[in-house]
Amino acid sequence: MRNPSYDILFEPAKIGPLTAKNRFYQVPHCNGGGYRDPSAVAEMRGIKAEGGWGVIFTEQTEMHHTSEITPFIEQRLWDDADIPALRRMSDAMKSQGALAGIQLAYSGINGPNLYTKEVPLAPSALPIRTFTNDPVQARAMDKTDIRDLRRWFVNAAKRSKIAGFDLICLYGAHGFGIFQHFLSRATNQRTDEYGGSLENRARFVNEVIADMRDAVGDTMGITLRVSLDETIGQLGFSNAEVREFIEMNADLPDLWDLAQGTWEDCSGPSRFKEEAAQEVLVNGIRELTSKPVVGVGRFTSPDVMARLVKQGVLDFIGCARPSIADPFLPKKIEEGRIEDIRECIGCNICITGDMTMSISRCTQNPTFMEEWRKGWHPEKMNTKGDSSNVLIVGGGPAGLEAARALSLRGYDVALAEAGTELGGRVARERLLPGLSAWGRVADYRTYQLSQRPNAETYFDSRLTAQDILEFGFENVCIATGAHWRADGVSRQHVVPMPADPAMPVFTPDDIMAGRLPNGEVVLFDDDHYYMGGVIAELLAKAGCTVTFVTPSAYVSDWTLNTLEQAAIHRRLVEAGIKIVLNTGIAELKAGEVVTECTYTGQTSAIGCEAVVMVASRISDDALYHELKAREADWADAGIKSVKLIGDAAAPGPIAWATYAGHRYARELDMPDIGDALPFRREVTQLA
Ligand code: ADP
Ligand code: SF4
């Protein structure tokens, strides 16, 4: 049963004219599906309702066609045609008594309007501020534009009501919403009554909220999401000014929704931000207002949540990523099942779905955004099929997730691991600088397996094909992982790079096993995700002089999608690492590497004692192929199926491995669908 110290999290609380059933508040979050995948998003939000959230929000919703952020895929409420899709979402949100919220965004200086081709409107005429530095500028709004925009907000509020929402969040945080653009002196350089003093800069938000109250305020709650500290230099909306603004406008919205400055700061990965990292910026704000306050901080610990509410720092616990990793977080706290919480690891893979306009994944919750597409529920598995047992070889993320999910389905599961601990790559990577929270991938699954009577784990069991044939399991799942290659093959070199054996070469596996180079080291990163940056950091801490060479224009290029690229670059510079961009390696010689400009091919040399190669990985699939070669013996051994999954099939991020494990578990014994599409989707209806 529930620990009484968490009771406070289950007390109802008012937001304007409405009451939330508890303090669990799913703040707006993107998912890469948006308007393109309306049923998938609706079902995902519906699962959160089932998981016990008191308030559930949409992602940002473009409230007028004159401001949109193509290529990013969020929601749209441009006219009545968008109402049915949003209605489906609000119905799902409200299915278990939660309040349904819609976040209305007018992107102003942040909306390049690449799709609608409208001229962007902003408080002041400045270049559009996007991730991609689009060559577009905004026109400064005149008084007519401001009147129009106020009317458009009222229209959007009325449509939100028709679409079934209870709450409206006005977006003015992360640099993304027009309210922030008016409030900040960096983006508002007006000299009329909307610019200059804080009172003037706050005029627009006051007008919009007053208009909205007249239109829908009797039945809907209006919340305002502002940045706690804009962190864009002296002109930015600082934490001190935010406090002044809230003090001057204490009762303006029905709830203050406080988010950190930039999105990168607010959704900082665990490598750079602890749980509750924003507490100092939030502390004391609640005393400035009679309205409730929600704040975020990748909260996964109910003790931290209860403390923040008890101490009067927050009224509501805002969660985006923790609600993705475990949509049943509130329910598990309510039922006293703390150890069943699937804690977010703070890897930001979910955000990459939005940044790549694909559809989001979650490392911890492979069912995220598959609730409708594949009918996957985060807590319930499909019923067991005809066979009864499975041997899983390899206890990394893929094997662990397959074992967990299959045991829930009712199969007898044997998990054989060559080593002495579970976790595979995660067991090693969790020891790297800043990555300890990633260990939760293994910890959650190891504990869940320990609770299953039908799952056995065997350590020190490096299996051969002969072993497997002798065991006679009906199904065999090979999840034997991958290792880093030392020959430089990746993107620049598709065959091994020329190398003098006199130059010592180390891989990330060597470093993780404690085999470190000394002295001057060149780290070559042609992988472009986190590993190169993390290893460079580790080597610098160990006393090496590190030169980081990459063919990309950015350090850890792909981490632009996990919102940590700038933080990684900063950390490497602070660690004294020399960064050489746009540069490949032509050849390894004794005592030096010959580098090569990516654009011109011009060569030069860097003297060093060792090279660390962060290139690509090779699947450890030999066992699978051995077994495959003996397919004729399977029937006698009682084997019905053998499948290769995870990094052993094709190396990828950890989220790809947990997904592969989960998919294997879902699909075992299922009828063959042949050439059919393995998921549902919505196709645009022709006009
Ligand atoms: P993935 O990310 O696909 O789960 P990992 O590399 O993290 O892959 O994990 C693979 C795991 O498989 C490692 O823990 C490794 O020790 C184990 N393993 C590899 N080969 C064998 C084998 N022949 N028998 C048992 N375990 C194995
Ligand atoms: Fe957390 Fe990573 Fe899942 Fe995002 S993808 S919710 S950061 S575990």
Side-chain angles (χ1 to χ4, degrees):
M1 271 299 94
R2 177 167 94 213
N3 178 336
S5 64
Y6 307 145
D7 285 353
I8 196 163
L9 298 170
F10 294 89
E11 285 172 12
K14 288 201 71 144
I15 306 175
L18 300 163
T19 301
K21 66 175 178 179
N22 61 34
R23 307 305 179 93
F24 296 94
Y25 192 112
Q26 183 242 272
V27 291
H29 70 71
C30 57
N31 48 71
Y35 64 80
R36 186 195 55 207
D37 297 290
S39 294
V41 183
E43 187 78 15
M44 178 268 286
R45 305 283 182 205
I47 292 284
K48 309 238 193 168
E50 217 186 299
W53 297 83
V55 176
I56 305 170
F57 265 91
T58 63
E59 56 271 52
Q60 86 176 71
T61 303
E62 296 168 352
M63 45 70 69
H64 197 261
H65 71 273
T66 54
S67 187
E68 48 93 9
I69 58 166
T70 303
F72 299 98
I73 302 177
E74 314 298 326
Q75 292 295 332
R76 286 176 177 164
L77 187 50
W78 290 355
D79 65 13
D80 291 349
D82 292 313
I83 292 175
L86 287 164
R87 174 105 221 171
R88 178 163 298 179
M89 180 138 57
S90 75
D91 283 345
M93 290 166 166
K94 294 190 294 188
S95 60
Q96 314 281 329
L99 296 179
I102 181 169
Q103 182 181 48
L104 297 182
Y106 194 85
S107 297
I109 200 67
N110 181 247
N113 293 350
L114 301 177
Y115 179 83
T116 60
K117 304 185 183 174
E118 297 285 350
V119 174
L121 298 172
S124 295
L126 285 167
I128 293 295
R129 302 163 78 89
T130 53
F131 295 114
T132 41
N133 296 322
D134 300 291
V136 179
Q137 295 197 196
R139 175 168 73 73
M141 299 167 83
D142 62 21
K143 298 290 167 53
T144 312
D145 297 318
I146 290 178
R147 269 198 303 278
D148 287 345
L149 183 51
R150 286 173 56 182
R151 190 178 63 255
W152 298 337
F153 266 108
V154 168
N155 291 344
K158 289 177 180 163
R159 287 194 178 107
S160 300
K161 185 169 172 172
I162 297 169
F165 290 98
D166 304 305
L167 305 175
I168 291 175
C169 168
L170 298 176
Y171 199 13
H174 302 146
F176 294 165
I178 191 90
F179 302 102
Q180 182 175 358
H181 307 156
F182 267 102
L183 285 167
S184 166
R185 282 174 299 149
T187 44
N188 180 351
Q189 297 161 17
R190 301 177 72 96
T191 51
D192 63 2
E193 68 269 34
Y194 289 95
S197 67
L198 180 56
E199 192 186 350
N200 279 358
R201 282 178 279 132
R203 189 175 309 280
F204 178 72
V205 66
N206 271 280
E207 289 176 347
V208 170
I209 292 182
D211 294 345
M212 281 195 161
R213 280 210 199 291
D214 286 348
V216 299
D218 53 334
T219 52
M220 296 182 83
I222 298 166
T223 78
L224 179 61
R225 189 157 223 216
V226 287
S227 275
L228 280 163
D229 190 349
E230 209 175 25
T231 60
I232 55 163
Q234 287 226 314
L235 290 173
F237 201 44
S238 67
N239 191 247
E241 210 176 20
V242 170
R243 286 167 193 263
E244 213 182 311
F245 166 66
I246 294 178
E247 208 168 4
M248 280 165 64
N249 300 277
D251 295 338
L252 179 61
D254 293 319
L255 170 143
W256 292 100
D257 180 345
L258 305 173
Q260 172 57 307
T262 60
W263 190 21
E264 289 86 338
D265 278 332
C266 192
S267 295
S270 55
R271 186 172 163 193
F272 297 99
K273 299 257 179 202
E274 295 292 322
E275 180 171 359
Q278 302 174 22
E279 191 173 338
V280 290
L281 294 171
V282 178
N283 246 332
I285 288 189
R286 194 168 163 273
E287 286 138 41
L288 306 176
T289 168
S290 62
K291 303 292 180 169
V293 168
V294 63
V296 291
R298 199 164 24 78
F299 299 120
T300 57
S301 150
D303 291 325
V304 173
M305 299 177 193
R307 175 179 68 75
L308 289 171
V309 177
K310 261 181 215 140
Q311 290 179 347
V313 178
L314 298 174
D315 297 281
F316 288 95
I317 300 300
C319 295
R321 289 170 293 172
S323 79
I324 292 172
D326 197 341
F328 278 64
L329 181 75
K331 192 137 268 182
K332 288 175 183 174
I333 298 174
E334 187 171 22
E335 292 171 356
R337 295 166 51 212
I338 305 302
E339 60 292 334
D340 287 336
I341 295 173
R342 200 167 39 240
E343 288 182 285
C344 168
I345 69 165
C347 62
N348 283 2
I349 278 291
C350 46
I351 290 168
T352 71
D354 185 59
M355 296 295 284
T356 59
M357 306 102 205
S358 44
I359 200 157
S360 289
R361 299 174 182 255
C362 169
T363 303
Q364 279 286 59
N365 173 13
T367 69
F368 182 55
M369 291 308 285
E370 301 295 355
E371 302 88 348
W372 179 83
R373 294 207 314 175
K374 291 193 160 175
W376 292 0
H377 189 284
E379 298 298 310
K380 295 180 208 149
M381 290 299 291
N382 40 336
T383 49
K384 195 173 90 40
D386 289 340
S387 58
S388 51
N389 57 51
V390 188
L391 170 66
I392 295 166
V393 188
L400 278 172
E401 174 61 16
R404 182 197 72 86
L406 281 165
S407 72
L408 276 185
R409 258 187 93 183
Y411 290 89
D412 288 329
V413 177
L415 176 61
E417 165 53 47
T420 53
E421 65 180 329
L422 291 175
R425 61 182 290 185
V426 164
R428 298 186 292 277
E429 293 183 27
R430 71 187 303 170
L431 304 175
L432 291 171
L435 300 189
S436 64
W438 292 25
R440 293 170 174 181
V441 172
D443 296 343
Y444 165 72
R445 291 172 174 82
T446 304
Y447 175 77
Q448 293 298 315
L449 279 177
S450 75
Q451 301 302 298
R452 305 292 311 165
N454 56 342
E456 273 318 319
T457 303
Y458 301 91
F459 292 106
D460 288 316
S461 305
R462 181 170 294 281
L463 302 188
T464 62
Q466 184 59 33
D467 295 332
I468 294 171
L469 287 163
E470 282 167 16
F471 289 154
F473 283 88
E474 285 169 278
N475 304 290
V476 180
C477 171
I478 309 280
T480 42
H483 64 274
W484 288 91
R485 53 196 302 165
D487 58 8
V489 169
S490 187
R491 295 173 170 95
Q492 185 201 351
H493 293 276
V494 293
V495 294
M497 68 168 71
D500 184 328
M503 171 62 84
V505 175
F506 294 77
T507 68
D509 291 321
D510 291 318
I511 310 291
M512 288 189 275
R515 290 188 292 276
L516 264 64
N518 292 313
E520 310 227 343
V521 176
V522 166
L523 184 147
F524 180 57
D525 184 8
D526 202 12
D527 169 62
H528 308 287
Y529 191 19
Y530 60 90
M531 188 57 85
V534 171
I535 296 284
E537 193 183 330
L538 182 151
L539 292 174
K541 278 193 184 133
C544 296
T545 305
V546 184
T547 305
F548 185 103
V549 177
T550 179
S552 171
Y554 293 95
V555 167
S556 301
D557 198 343
W558 201 74
T559 65
L560 286 164
N561 297 313
T562 49
L563 305 182
E564 60 190 318
Q565 193 279 329
I568 294 172
H569 190 117
R570 204 176 303 127
R571 184 163 282 182
L572 298 200
V573 171
E574 284 163 4
I577 294 163
K578 185 168 177 226
I579 295 171
V580 181
L581 303 173
N582 302 313
T583 303
I585 290 185
E587 188 182 351
L588 306 186
K589 290 188 173 170
E592 68 177 33
V593 301
V594 181
T595 64
E596 179 174 51
C597 168
T598 305
Y599 297 106
T600 63
Q602 198 179 349
T603 59
S604 109
I606 304 176
C608 63
E609 291 152 69
V611 168
V612 175
M613 201 64 87
V614 186
S616 66
R617 289 183 292 154
I618 302 182
S619 290
D620 292 327
D621 55 2
L623 176 63
Y624 173 76
H625 290 297
E626 259 175 66
L627 208 50
K628 196 78 183 147
R630 297 186 59 182
E631 199 159 351
D633 302 335
W634 292 5
D636 284 349
I639 296 176
K640 289 183 182 158
S641 76
V642 175
K643 190 145 169 83
L644 180 69
I645 67 163
D647 288 338
I654 299 163
W656 273 241
T658 50
Y659 185 85
H662 195 85
R663 181 174 186 181
Y664 173 76
R666 289 272 172 188
E667 295 180 356
L668 187 68
D669 284 335
M670 295 295 275
D672 187 356
I673 61 164
D675 292 345
L677 194 66
F679 52 82
R680 288 199 282 177
R681 68 183 170 137
E682 278 160 329
V683 177
T684 307
Q685 212 179 337
L686 290 178

